[in-house]
Structure formats: structure tokens, C-alpha cells
Amino acid sequence: MSEPLAMKPKPKFRDSAAVVLIRGEGARLDTFWVLRSDAVSVQPGFRAFIGGKVDAGDADLPMDGVPELAGATSEAQLFERASRACAIRESFEETGVLLGLIGPAPDAATLAALWEDVREERRRFADVVAERGWRFDARALVPAGRWQTPAFAPVRFDTLFFVARVPPGQEPSVVEGELASGEWVKPLDALDRYRHGHETFAAPILWNLIALAEGEHALAERLAMGPQRSATPFKRIELQWGVVLHPMRTKPLPPATHTNAFLIGESEMMLLDPGSDDPGELAQLFTAIDALAAEGRKLALVVLTHHHSDHTAGAKACRERYGARVVGHRLLGERMALDLAVKDGDWLPLVPGIGDWNMQVLHTPGHTQDSISLWHPRTRTLFCGDLIPGGPGSVIIDPPDGDMGAYLGSLARVAALAPRTIFPAHGSPQGAAVKRIHKMIAHRKEREALVLAALDANARPAAALLEQSYPDTPRELWAYAERSLLAHLLLLERDGRAVRSGDAWSTSPR
Ligand SMILES: [Zn+2]
């Protein structure tokens, strides 16, 4: 009962499509990528290619050119057909580029006006298509691999990628909204920016860029190989260069099923939060560590963010196998053997690679007293353990180890650092995180107001306040919610706004 309290059911895969838009050739080959805005819930602040979720209407887009899709009946064919249509629609909605139109395109001014209508949601793309009698040639999109979001993420996508050449006379542009910006980039420049820690993106972007950087020969085939290449010799999730996310199956609260272990560094590595001692899970972790060691990344430290077993269970095995030193807060040292006990402000240096890997320890209590986060100033990256969840829901604060006042203080402190990227122990990494942290603080304040409103002059046990103070929480999670409720009550008591007598709570008579 120590893990993020997720309040929403686990979603299935969401069908989606992405377009690797290209122009030029040879050394002058460019690809168009976008920066996702702070406002989106999935991968805010990350680089991406254009694309999005398949709409119900996509299946009806008039499309020629791929006969086997015309009379599609199998699930796979229907998915491919809808994905191609989705790719055409998303390209137009997000960048104004109309792919695969059969026959003459409208003049630039007309096309721009139609784009604005669709972008501003005055008209649906499908309605514009019907009105203009447009048909599309599906061959404008060349299949370039199918990617599925790994299991650690609370929102998972099943995405067909396509490569497409920008039609002559058209130029993509991005109007700020869900996307912050878009630009043409040379694949090698994009990879260079990534390796210097300036860009964050998911595995499909990385492997598409690598394939593009290798040139145009058999490009679609090599793009399609991306998922396989990214999984050999282990499933490599490296959203920032030098930060490998290795999800381990653990036993946190539903719907979370994994703890994200991180292998951080370019020459020397630290392993953060190996949360399982299951032999199968450890074997996969060792495969990852050994593969990275073969590249010259040697495991030096095992760092534990706090004492909960889904963060620490694998530490002993890693210490034994690799001789790595186990590091944690000095309060963690009162619960288990550490080779190095650290405190707030200490630095954990690793041998540098392209850049430095000096990580600063921040004592960030609240979820537990011994909770630490790691701060990497060069890339403005925060490894936050269970301080911030990587998805919907909120972290359980379980007194007396959990402390709401300390928790809110820790959130405010890390927000003030203005991290660019957050790597949480559960769920998905997040870019553009400051806004989200402020939202989390506001959410706790709202909850506090509900708790305060539930209190009256009659002393009642905390459980009697649940219905009114956690109306949005499913009943099966009330046992967890009650712990966080107690944490709020204890903070209100400390502030003189609630009174406790035995196990019962009432408003302060003052
Ligand atoms: Zn925890």
C-alpha cells in the first residue's frame, strides 16, 4: 500500500498513426519533427513525429492505390486502412500538409483556408473531403514499422508509422496548441542534440532517426525494423541519452504493475530502484546491465529512492553480482545495510561521457521519511521516485511514515528547480513538468478543502469522512484513500484547524 494511488482503470491500447515526413535526399535529407506542448497529457515537452489517435471516421476516407485494403475485412487490414487515413488526416490537421491527394491540389490560399477551418475545428476533415470530392492514394504513405508503448506506461498506443515525402509546393507548419513547434531537422543533427541531452523522445523517434541517418536505401524496410532493433539485445528504452528505463514487474497498487528502474550514465552507471528479486525479472535486468557494460557503461552504484520493497528488492542481487555500492538516505540506512549513506545536497558523481553525470541528492520526504530524488542539473532532469506519479492518480501518503506537510514542501521544492524532464518510478516520464507539479499541489489543496468541509463539531472517525472528502475515489480504493485522508487530518491538526480525540476528528472550536 505504498504505491501511487491510481484512480482510473487501466486502458487498452489505443490505435494511432504517425508520419515520418521527409524532404530532400542524400546528405540533404530532412525530416519534420514537432515538440509536444506542456498542455498535452501524453509526453508533454517531448519530441515526436506528427500523428495521433485513429478516429471512428477514419475508416471511411476514400482511398485508392492499395487494392487489398479496399475490401479490408481482417482486423489487421482494417487497422492498417484506418491508420493510413488517420495519418493523412493528422498530417493535414497538425501541419496543413495534404498527403496523397489524387488529382490537382487546390491553390495555396484555398488550402490554407481549409486548413484553418479544420485546425480551428470549424469543420471536420471528413466533411471537407466529402465536399471537395477528394480521394487519396494510399501509396503516398509507405509503412515504416509498428510500435507499441511498453507496459510501464499508463496510456499505451499501438502505432503504425508511415514515411511520406512532402508533396511539391507544400510546406508543413505548426500552430501552437497541442504542439509547441515543428521544424525540419537533419537526422544526424537531431541525434547529436539527443546525445548532448538537449532532446527527449521515445524509442520510435530514436530508431526512425537512426534509420534516416543511414540513408535512403531500403529506408522503409529499415524503418520497419526499428521495433526489432530497439529490442536487441534487450528492450532498450532510452528517452534521454544516458538514461535507460528498465521497467521491472513488481507489486505496486493497481493499475500500476511495474517499477521503473533507471540505468543512468555514459561511462559509469548508477542503477536506480531495482524493485524486484524475482529471478526472471533479475535475469532481464542483468541482460540490460551486461549489454550496456559491453558498450563501456559500467555499473558503479545502486541508488535507492526509499525503503519500499518495490524499489529495493533487487539491490542485494545487483550488489553481489556487480560489486556495486548501495546508496540511500541515511534514514534508509536505519532499515537496511547501505555502503554509502547520503543526505540532502550530497553529490553522486559518475565518470563523464559526452557530458557530466553529477547527480545531486535531494531529500524529498512526504511519501516516506527516507525519500530522496536525484537532480541532474546539466539536463535539468529529476529522478523523483514516488514523489510524482507518471500518470493519473496521486501518491498515497501513509502516516506516520508519510507526511502531507512534508510532501507538499517537497513538491514545491522540486517545482522551484524548473525541471525539464521528470523520470518517475511508476508510469511515464514527463517533460514540461513544472505546470503539472503545481497542479498536483493545487489538487492536494482542493482535497484539503474537501476534508475540512467534511469535518464538523461532532467528533467522527476518519472513515466516516471518506464519502464526502473522496467522492471521486472508487470504493475499492477507500482503504488507501483513508491513509491519505489521515495525512490531511494530521496536517490540519498541526495547523490548528482540526482536533483529534482518540481516533475521532472534529473541527477546531476556535
Ligand atoms: Zn513507495
Side-chain angles (χ1 to χ4, degrees):
M1 54 186 292
S2 51
E3 298 322 314
L5 177 55
M7 310 250 184
K8 294 182 180 166
K10 189 175 175 62
K12 294 194 211 60
F13 278 112
R14 298 180 192 179
D15 291 349
S16 57
V19 181
V20 183
L21 199 61
I22 57 170
R23 73 170 183 194
E25 48 201 79
R28 293 166 62 183
L29 181 79
D30 295 329
T31 186
F32 190 81
W33 71 355
V34 295
L35 185 65
R36 298 174 59 75
S37 86
D38 299 12
V40 296
S41 59
V42 178
Q43 299 188 348
F46 282 20
R47 287 285 176 188
F49 291 120
I50 51 183
K53 287 194 291 282
V54 171
D55 271 359
D58 287 335
D60 303 324
L61 192 78
M63 235 180 340
D64 300 330
V66 182
E68 61 269 31
L69 294 183
T73 48
S74 78
E75 200 172 322
Q77 284 177 333
L78 288 168
F79 175 40
E80 186 180 335
R81 191 184 195 292
S83 299
R84 281 176 187 269
C86 170
I88 291 170
R89 177 180 52 74
E90 289 280 350
S91 292
F92 190 65
E93 287 176 357
E94 292 191 338
T95 70
V97 165
L98 194 57
L99 294 170
L101 181 66
I102 297 172
D107 62 73
T110 307
L111 201 58
L114 292 171
W115 178 36
E116 188 180 320
D117 277 356
V118 170
R119 196 177 69 222
E120 300 297 327
E121 296 179 3
R122 290 194 286 262
R123 299 159 76 189
R124 291 166 56 237
F125 180 65
D127 296 337
V128 173
V129 169
E131 182 191 294
R132 318 244 357 153
W134 284 346
R135 293 192 71 80
F136 295 89
D137 185 344
R139 290 169 299 185
L141 299 155
V142 180
R146 179 178 184 171
W147 290 86
Q148 293 183 331
T149 314
F152 67 87
V155 180
R156 301 177 68 188
F157 296 91
D158 188 353
T159 308
L160 285 188
F161 276 70
F162 299 94
V163 62
R165 201 160 263 286
V166 69
Q170 295 194 40
E171 178 61 26
S173 62
V174 162
V175 171
E176 203 176 329
E178 282 188 19
L179 305 178
S181 63
E183 62 180 358
W184 289 108
V185 66
K186 298 217 178 307
L188 279 175
D189 290 347
L191 289 168
D192 197 50
R193 278 154 67 173
Y194 166 73
R195 285 168 66 92
H196 282 86
H198 302 317
E199 305 288 356
T200 308
F201 43 72
I205 313 306
L206 175 64
W207 287 96
N208 282 314
L209 288 171
I210 291 171
L212 288 165
E214 290 165 346
E216 275 175 283
H217 174 69
L219 177 60
E221 287 84 344
R222 282 182 293 102
L223 287 169
M225 291 286 286
Q228 195 180 326
R229 292 172 86 183
S230 78
T232 315
F234 71 105
K235 198 171 178 66
R236 184 163 181 160
I237 306 166
E238 192 166 2
L239 294 95
Q240 253 177 34
W241 175 246
V243 179
V244 174
L245 188 165
H246 183 83
M248 297 185 83
R249 189 169 286 280
T250 55
K251 293 178 192 69
L253 268 190
T257 51
H258 293 75
T259 301
N260 300 331
F262 291 97
L263 288 153
I264 306 162
E266 289 178 80
S267 301
E268 238 179 359
M269 288 194 301
M270 63 169 64
L271 167 61
L272 193 63
D273 283 357
S276 172
D277 57 1
D278 173 81
E281 289 297 313
L282 282 174
Q284 287 185 37
L285 176 64
F286 295 160
T287 300
I289 294 173
D290 294 345
L292 291 165
E295 291 179 16
R297 298 184 186 183
K298 183 179 173 297
L299 185 65
L301 303 174
V302 176
V303 183
L304 307 173
T305 59
H306 63 293
H307 66 85
H308 289 151
S309 66
D310 63 320
H311 296 256
T312 57
K316 191 161 162 274
C318 294
R319 184 181 193 273
E320 280 166 11
R321 184 178 163 105
Y322 297 100
R325 291 188 300 160
V326 177
V327 183
H329 192 262
R330 55 186 179 76
L331 291 173
L332 176 61
E334 293 171 10
R335 294 174 182 263
M336 60 182 280
L338 296 176
D339 298 303
L340 178 62
V342 291
K343 60 181 189 314
D344 187 64
D346 285 354
W347 288 88
L348 295 172
L350 295 171
V351 172
I354 291 173
D356 81 78
W357 288 97
N358 299 327
M359 311 288 289
Q360 189 170 33
V361 174
L362 307 177
H363 184 210
T364 47
H367 174 61
T368 65
Q369 292 182 25
D370 61 6
S371 286
I372 58 170
S373 300
L374 294 180
W375 172 238
H376 186 229
R378 177 172 64 87
T379 55
R380 309 197 67 73
T381 297
L382 184 76
F383 298 86
C384 64
D386 278 356
L387 180 65
I388 299 163
S394 50
V395 173
I396 186 166
I397 307 298
D398 185 9
D401 195 18
D403 182 311
M404 191 61 75
Y407 183 69
L408 292 172
S410 293
L411 285 180
R413 183 181 176 198
V414 298
L417 294 168
R420 203 178 53 134
T421 312
I422 287 192
F423 287 105
H426 304 282
S428 296
Q430 310 268 336
V434 176
K435 205 183 268 179
R436 183 155 175 272
I437 300 171
H438 285 300
K439 241 175 150 174
M440 288 172 56
I441 295 171
H443 175 75
R444 296 285 180 170
K445 296 284 182 196
E446 282 164 27
R447 184 71 69 192
E448 183 182 83
L450 285 174
V451 173
L452 204 52
L455 284 172
D456 55 33
N458 302 319
R460 283 177 298 159
L465 307 170
L466 264 175
E467 186 148 17
Q468 207 180 329
S469 50
Y470 283 80
D472 51 343
T473 302
R475 219 163 256 268
E476 62 268 23
L477 293 174
W478 273 15
Y480 304 110
E482 190 177 340
R483 301 309 301 170
S484 288
L485 168 62
L486 181 60
H488 276 295
L489 288 166
L490 289 166
L491 178 57
L492 288 169
E493 181 191 30
R494 210 181 306 161
D495 294 345
R497 292 189 285 169
V499 173
R500 174 171 44 167
S501 47
D503 283 337
W505 294 85
S506 58
T507 44
S508 169
R510 277 167 292 166

